[in-house]
Amino acid sequence: MNSRDTIVQRAVQEIKDGMYVNLGIGLPTLVANAISPDINVMLQSENGLLGIGPYPTEAEIDADLINAGKETVTANPGASFFDSAESFAMIRGGHIDVAILGGMEVSENGDLANWVIPGKMIKGMGGAMDLVVGAKRVVVIMEHVNKYGESKVKSSCSLPLTGKGVVDRLITDLAVFDFTPNGMELIELADGVTLEELKEKTEAKFNTTNFALI
Amino acid sequence: MIGKVLDSFEEAVRQIPDGASIAVGGFGLSGIPEKLIYALKETGVKNLTIISNNCGTDHHGLGVLLENKQVKKMIASYVGENKTFEQQLLNGDLEVELCPQGTLAERLRAGGAGIPAFYTATGVGTVIADGKDSKVFDGKEYILEKAIVADFAFVKAWKGDKSGNLVYRKTARNFNPLAATAGKITFVEVEELVEVGELDPDEIHTPGVYVQHILLGDNYEKTIERRTVREASIV
């Protein structure tokens, strides 16, 4: 498995039967395809759809039915449509069980940066800042190091924040961490990754109290 | 009742002056009021402030107003689909106020509902909070966001009746009902215009009270930004 597959396969385990889930654009979108058909989940799209279905066939394509990534989609049985204020009312009101978002940097106190790189063209935060404060649980998925081999799991974020202290769980290709009142805790190591290797590739300080118990 | 139905998009948008603010519905290119936007391009009015989640793409939607250098300021949550936007921003020809998507939706909703401002946790601890009042409720910090009321609103609905009652279709609803309430003068374009009484009152998304002018559009482009498909299953 490549690192992205590792992340996606681990991330999909966060989604349980009966959940209402928002998946971000990019890597999180791939998580949708990995959800077992045996479980029943409602995927939310912040442009106004609860119950995202598969991509349409050529015959089904409808310009009036897209997801937040502006891709054509379908609506599953039981789906509903609503306006953007309603959509963010369910997000900010704490009605979405879990939001899975991509990340550029996560810090040891659970800060997330994922919307802008200074000096590069600004695109905007879209709904990310709302999702990270509103969803009951925020899971960030990203590769552990950047293309230069530098840790994206930082002592503090160098990029502008999307949210402060908002991450509940971080899943990378190397490990899974939780952010708790006791700080950043290692929960799992990916197959074939040693604690030494993880420490070497992680700028953030994390504790292994719970991990050691397993 | 004063007639709300107008026949000509060109004449309708002629009442919009230089420097006006306009709340515009749509998400990406889905559910955008394309006929009103293209008619406004023809008038050439300038120094507009546009409030819209996105700013179209190059050559489509609000992107055409940018290309025509009619926009002075843009309030949006995501503008990454548009190269003209980038260029004008770098040149200093365009001012942008980025606003989180939920905050933008709520600012329009609040504006339309007569609520001048509201507190939200969105943006706390980020650049969005800079210069804004904050307050702690039950131990959690919130920032104060101001409502938006625009001089005009451009709205796209699927069906409307001649008194301005509106029904939207699927995810083309998005920001349209919010823009409709936040405009002092709201223009709506529809794909189907019916007589008063033909819409079931239970199915109306936007009551006609918010609508000042309604126009019937045709030949909708409905441009798709990302055409994603699956194979049809073989039965």
Side-chain angles (χ1 to χ4, degrees):
Chain A
M1 269 200 295
N2 66 32
S3 60
R4 286 166 72 90
D5 289 336
T6 305
I7 295 168
V8 167
Q9 290 306 325
R10 179 57 191 82
V12 76
Q13 294 172 34
E14 301 294 316
I15 299 174
K16 309 276 194 268
D17 193 46
M19 277 186 167
Y20 292 91
V21 179
N22 183 292
L23 300 174
I25 294 162
L27 194 52
T29 305
L30 302 178
V31 177
N33 303 330
I35 299 172
S36 160
D38 300 334
I39 70 166
N40 188 14
V41 288
M42 281 291 222
L43 298 180
Q44 202 248 16
S45 188
E46 60 264 30
N47 57 318
L49 165 59
L50 195 56
I52 308 173
Y55 289 139
T57 62
E58 279 289 345
E60 289 171 335
I61 283 184
D62 185 342
D64 290 341
L65 183 46
I66 62 168
N67 65 16
K70 285 117 185 171
E71 298 173 326
T72 47
V73 291
T74 56
N76 274 340
S80 52
F81 299 120
F82 34 84
D83 68 52
S84 301
E86 177 83 55
S87 178
F88 282 92
M90 65 183 78
I91 289 169
R92 304 211 250 194
H95 305 280
I96 299 297
D97 295 303
V98 59
I100 302 182
L101 296 95
M104 292 172 180
E105 291 178 348
V106 170
S107 75
E108 61 193 37
N109 60 347
D111 297 351
L112 169 67
N114 76 348
W115 73 279
V116 64
I117 299 173
K120 290 212 173 169
M121 182 54 200
I122 54 159
K123 290 176 182 290
M125 69 293 286
M129 287 189 179
D130 305 283
L131 280 159
V132 295
V133 300
K136 280 184 203 158
R137 188 169 158 72
V138 173
V139 176
V140 172
I141 62 176
M142 65 180 192
E143 285 170 293
H144 203 93
V145 299
N146 66 19
K147 59 183 173 184
Y148 308 108
E150 297 158 350
S151 179
K152 293 165 72 175
V153 187
K154 316 278 276 186
S155 47
S156 69
C157 292
S158 59
L159 297 171
L161 297 185
T162 306
K164 197 163 177 54
V166 292
V167 182
D168 294 298
R169 175 164 282 187
L170 169 64
I171 297 171
T172 76
D173 47 323
L174 302 184
V176 178
F177 302 94
D178 275 353
F179 297 85
T180 75
N182 301 324
M184 181 175 169
E185 296 191 20
L186 176 64
I187 301 297
E188 295 168 24
L189 278 173
D191 281 349
V193 178
T194 65
L195 190 56
E196 288 66 39
E197 181 190 358
L198 181 69
K199 283 184 172 165
E200 190 186 307
K201 290 180 173 171
T202 308
E203 185 195 293
K205 282 198 178 59
F206 58 89
N207 72 60
T208 56
T209 325
N210 286 340
F211 179 73
L213 288 174
I214 295 169
Chain B
M1 187 187 284
I2 299 166
K4 294 186 180 183
V5 180
L6 301 179
D7 296 324
S8 159
F9 283 92
E10 288 66 34
E11 279 176 36
V13 298
R14 230 172 260 162
Q15 58 177 295
I16 296 173
D18 278 348
S21 61
I22 313 174
V24 182
F27 182 94
L29 295 176
S30 190
I32 57 169
E34 55 179 70
K35 307 296 170 200
L36 287 161
I37 292 169
Y38 298 154
L40 191 63
K41 181 200 164 195
E42 297 307 318
T43 70
V45 290
K46 296 208 184 313
N47 294 318
L48 299 170
T49 293
I50 302 286
I51 304 109
S52 171
N53 189 54
N54 312 97
C55 197
T57 61
D58 296 316
H59 321 308
H60 292 288
L62 290 168
V64 303
L65 298 184
L66 280 180
E67 282 164 351
N68 212 27
K69 302 202 167 134
Q70 291 174 266
V71 184
K72 180 189 72 178
K73 181 177 178 181
M74 188 75 216
I75 303 177
S77 89
Y78 190 83
V79 292
E81 322 283 3
N82 198 312
K83 288 194 188 72
T84 317
F85 190 96
E86 179 173 355
Q87 216 154 38
Q88 293 188 5
L89 194 62
L90 292 172
N91 294 347
D93 295 336
L94 181 66
E95 193 186 327
V96 64
E97 178 185 332
L98 285 173
C99 178
Q101 195 175 142
T103 296
L104 183 62
E106 192 65 15
R107 288 175 72 190
L108 290 165
R109 197 198 69 80
I115 295 167
F118 58 91
Y119 283 100
T120 178
T122 300
V124 168
T126 76
V127 293
I128 294 303
D130 291 351
K132 288 176 186 158
D133 288 340
S134 75
K135 192 167 174 157
V136 173
F137 296 92
D138 297 327
K140 191 174 166 186
E141 189 182 352
Y142 297 81
I143 55 173
L144 188 64
E145 292 280 3
K146 282 186 182 160
I148 295 172
V149 176
D151 299 329
F152 300 92
F154 283 2
V155 168
K156 162 75 190 348
W158 175 36
K159 288 192 285 192
D161 72 20
K162 291 181 174 175
S163 69
N165 291 310
L166 307 177
V167 178
Y168 306 95
R169 188 170 174 276
K170 302 188 178 180
T171 58
R173 192 182 320 181
N174 55 59
F175 278 81
N176 279 300
L178 312 170
T181 67
K184 289 179 194 160
I185 298 174
T186 293
F187 293 83
V188 180
E189 55 180 272
V190 293
E191 292 173 60
E192 213 179 306
L193 185 61
V194 301
E195 293 299 326
V196 173
E198 281 188 45
L199 296 176
D200 176 354
D202 262 338
E203 72 174 344
I204 289 165
H205 297 132
T206 294
V209 67
Y210 297 110
V211 176
Q212 279 66 49
H213 303 296
I214 188 164
L215 298 101
L216 177 65
D218 60 0
N219 298 317
Y220 274 89
E221 283 181 14
K222 291 200 181 186
T223 308
I224 291 173
E225 284 179 68
R226 298 203 173 83
R227 195 179 187 88
T228 43
V229 293
R230 70 186 146 91
E231 295 294 316
S233 51
I234 300 153
V235 181

